[in-house]
Amino acid sequence: MLDLSLLRDSGTFSIDGGSPRLALVHHGFRTTQLGATDKRQDKYAARYASLGLLNLARSAQVDFERGRIPFQPEIQYFDEDNFTDDVELAKAISDWLRPSKARFVLVSLYSLAFERTKNMLSNLNPEEVCIMVGGAHPTVAPEIDFVHLVARGEGGNALRHVLRLFLHPEFGMGNEARGLCFMLDGKVQMGEVVFDKSLEDIPSPAFSYELIQNDTSFAGQSRERWWKAVGESQQIYICTQSCRARCTFCSTYLIHGKLVSRPVELIAGDIEHLLTFGHDSIQFHDDDLLQHENLHELLDLLLEFNIAWTCNARSEVITPALARRMYDAGCKKVFLGVESLDQRSLNYYNKATTVEMNINAVNALNSSGIGVICGYIIGAPHDTVESILADLDRVLALPIYFLATAILTPDIGTVEYRRALRRIPLLQELGNDGTKMNIRPRPEIFGTSAPYGLPTVAEAISKEELNELYALINCEFFLRKEYINRVIKYTSNDRLNEALSWCSLQKLKAEELAESATLASVQERTVQLLQKIDADYPYYGVLSEFAEAR
């Protein structure tokens, strides 16, 4: 980490020089797993604000109102998508910060974008600007050499401590500082992961949405992927924190701890605030909206507002009655964490669900009129080519609107990472000299194909073969007769051409896969798929005509 003495001794930085300026920087969303695999897929990526940063901004505002910090901070939100490149972004940040002596840059650091964000921040003067990072990656790997401060877990208390006592003799002491990591005069203080329950009581609105309304390139709106989009003017929101589940591939509970639910009356104030900006729909980004402790009250509230919404959920709680009630309350699409229709895989992932639960949940949601998006994972240690193809056939039999496939990733800090570390000695190279606290993806060792910069863990299938299977799954799922009706039913008029473009890309990929596949079964199925499309159905012609008619 950068030594805080750089700021203390520079003569150009002072926390006592009046209102501090906080530059909230949303960086790294241009770096996606899809894009790393195939740049043609970048245009389908989501674009939305960082709720973590907007919540920190709101927390700082409330702290000043309650007298917890001495100065009201000036806050500006910077999104990389509003700038040509990172040099221009860094210059805009520096120019805005310059009038203040207390200059802070707050960034959510993503594993995939680690090197990109490092390079962007290198354009800032570390003697004039205090760089503070947080998020999932810094929480599990906080030794980061290009920043002054790291917040582990939620950062509300840590930021309050910084704005009260930065560079004072008491800095780094007390309960509020527990989550902070920093170096001062060569001495490192390594904080612990701290969980924050402020979502339960922070007054409405919970997020400073007003900071993104001047986003001229985007008008403050989320741009969700075509298959998850609802409404014409949508915005993201969360009202629960963490997840009650403990899936082995997920890190959310490492950062957020136990489940926290926002009271329904405060959610009502948040939604009213969103509506003032002209939004007509909500994308709940909760890990599982249905875990809210007062779910039925929440559904009653959403029914009163009469707005469209989408959410993430787990299959074990979905019943036909609940699905119908969700639909009546405005739910249009649900991302369901199915992951597999193989019980051995579900057990390995610690999903605490069964194949029957998954099938019943998909059917219940689809029957109610809700588009079902399924998360689907391949590449468990026990997987074989044959077992994955058999599982794919089971998936193809279900009425799923979109299949979001992923190759099992041993994400840093997760159970999967610890499992992989025992079996793959080369994983030690992710950190310097085997250090666990500064690990990051290493594409120069493990390559850029999914999972980016990390190894796969399947014992009988190579990383290259898993990527072939991943491509086949997408091609077989999206290039089917029966898929047409689902695209038409659940895709909004303004996004249908984008959906067709996605399908066209999958056909192009199928043609490429037929030539490049090394697995005989993948090549055989791909060739059969292309023959079926050409012989049995004018797939794209029918869809294109329909799109024009709409």
Side-chain angles (χ1 to χ4, degrees), residues 513-529:
L513 187 62
E515 296 292 328
S516 65
T518 61
L519 290 169
S521 53
V522 169
Q523 186 178 51
E524 180 182 347
R525 287 182 67 138
T526 306
V527 170
Q528 290 174 353
L529 175 65

Side-chain angles (χ1 to χ4, degrees), residues 14-20 60-61 63-65 68-74 102 163-164 168:
S14 173
I15 191 65
D16 299 318
S19 295
Q61 293 166 350
D63 284 342
F64 174 73
E65 293 165 2
R68 292 175 172 176
I69 54 177
F71 301 105
Q72 181 173 9
E74 299 176 61
L163 294 177
R164 282 199 313 118
H168 288 199

Side-chain angles (χ1 to χ4, degrees), residues 164-192:
R164 282 199 313 118
L165 297 170
F166 191 56
L167 298 180
H168 288 199
E170 301 89 354
F171 180 70
M173 302 178 187
N175 187 59
E176 287 184 346
R178 287 189 302 120
L180 277 173
C181 306
F182 60 89
M183 179 192 299
L184 181 59
D185 294 326
K187 183 179 179 181
V188 174
Q189 177 167 314
M190 191 60 60
E192 60 189 277

Side-chain angles (χ1 to χ4, degrees), residues 207-249:
F207 308 97
S208 295
Y209 288 110
E210 69 277 4
L211 292 175
I212 59 175
Q213 298 310 307
N214 293 325
D215 186 340
T216 55
S217 72
F218 197 59
Q221 298 177 20
S222 297
R223 176 71 175 177
E224 187 52 277
R225 290 148 290 197
W226 63 266
W227 44 270
K228 209 172 183 183
V230 294
E232 295 182 3
S233 176
Q234 50 215 326
Q235 191 53 269
I236 61 171
Y237 175 72
I238 60 170
C239 58
T240 65
Q241 189 170 278
S242 195
C243 181
R244 60 190 169 191
R246 291 295 181 264
C247 301
T248 62
F249 50 79

Side-chain angles (χ1 to χ4, degrees), residues 65-368:
E65 293 165 2
R66 293 175 173 175
R68 292 175 172 176
I69 54 177
F71 301 105
Q72 181 173 9
E74 299 176 61
I75 304 173
Q76 181 110 337
Y77 185 89
F78 294 84
D79 193 307
E80 64 178 340
D81 279 350
N82 287 343
F83 300 90
T84 304
D85 54 35
D86 286 346
V87 173
E88 183 183 346
L89 169 61
K91 183 180 184 304
I93 295 169
S94 296
D95 290 346
W96 182 77
L97 289 172
R98 190 165 291 115
S100 175
K101 286 192 173 182
R103 312 173 195 93
F104 295 90
V105 173
L106 278 61
V107 188
S108 292
L109 182 59
Y110 302 98
S111 296
L112 276 176
F114 188 95
E115 294 299 328
R116 274 198 59 230
T117 302
K118 176 180 180 179
N119 292 335
M120 185 275 289
L121 293 174
S122 70
N123 292 288
L124 304 178
N125 187 340
E127 296 183 359
E128 296 181 354
V129 176
C130 179
I131 301 170
M132 181 175 181
V133 299
H137 185 99
T139 294
V140 298
E143 289 188 3
I144 300 169
D145 59 5
F146 53 90
V147 305
H148 297 91
L149 298 170
V150 175
R152 304 186 72 188
E154 279 102 22
N157 289 334
L159 180 60
R160 181 185 311 124
H161 182 77
V162 170
L163 294 177
R164 282 199 313 118
L165 297 170
F166 191 56
L167 298 180
H168 288 199
E170 301 89 354
F171 180 70
M173 302 178 187
N175 187 59
E176 287 184 346
R178 287 189 302 120
L180 277 173
C181 306
F182 60 89
M183 179 192 299
L184 181 59
D185 294 326
K187 183 179 179 181
V188 174
Q189 177 167 314
M190 191 60 60
E192 60 189 277
V193 181
V194 172
F195 304 129
D196 177 359
K197 294 188 175 182
S198 63
L199 192 67
E200 287 181 325
D201 57 21
I202 192 170
S204 296
F207 308 97
S208 295
Y209 288 110
E210 69 277 4
L211 292 175
I212 59 175
Q213 298 310 307
N214 293 325
D215 186 340
T216 55
S217 72
F218 197 59
Q221 298 177 20
S222 297
R223 176 71 175 177
E224 187 52 277
R225 290 148 290 197
W226 63 266
W227 44 270
K228 209 172 183 183
V230 294
E232 295 182 3
S233 176
Q234 50 215 326
Q235 191 53 269
I236 61 171
Y237 175 72
I238 60 170
C239 58
T240 65
Q241 189 170 278
S242 195
C243 181
R244 60 190 169 191
R246 291 295 181 264
C247 301
T248 62
F249 50 79
C250 184
S251 62
T252 187
Y253 59 88
L254 300 177
I255 295 96
H256 300 298
K258 295 181 180 180
L259 171 66
V260 175
S261 294
R262 187 160 174 79
V264 173
E265 59 270 21
L266 293 179
I267 297 173
D270 294 343
I271 295 176
E272 288 175 356
H273 182 69
L274 280 178
L275 295 178
T276 64
F277 298 114
H279 300 299
D280 66 351
S281 51
I282 293 176
Q283 297 174 12
F284 286 98
H285 274 227
D286 307 60
D287 291 287
D288 174 11
L289 179 68
L290 305 188
Q291 69 187 338
H292 194 286
E293 288 140 330
N294 297 110
L295 175 61
H296 292 290
E297 280 184 57
L298 175 58
L299 293 176
D300 289 341
L301 176 70
L302 293 170
L303 179 63
E304 290 177 19
F305 275 109
N306 191 30
I307 53 176
W309 52 277
T310 181
C311 70
N312 305 320
R314 285 173 54 86
S315 64
E316 71 269 24
V317 299
I318 302 288
T319 64
L322 177 58
R324 286 193 297 271
R325 186 166 185 192
M326 291 168 63
Y327 178 80
D328 290 341
C331 182
K332 304 300 182 185
K333 296 173 183 175
V334 168
F335 186 104
L336 198 63
V338 167
E339 320 310 358
S340 179
L341 294 180
D342 181 335
Q343 192 61 49
R344 183 179 180 185
S345 293
L346 294 176
N347 294 342
Y348 177 79
Y349 300 144
N350 195 35
K351 284 295 298 184
T353 56
T354 66
V355 172
E356 183 181 13
M357 289 175 182
N358 283 338
I359 293 172
N360 289 342
V362 171
N363 287 327
L365 291 167
N366 179 71
S367 296
S368 73

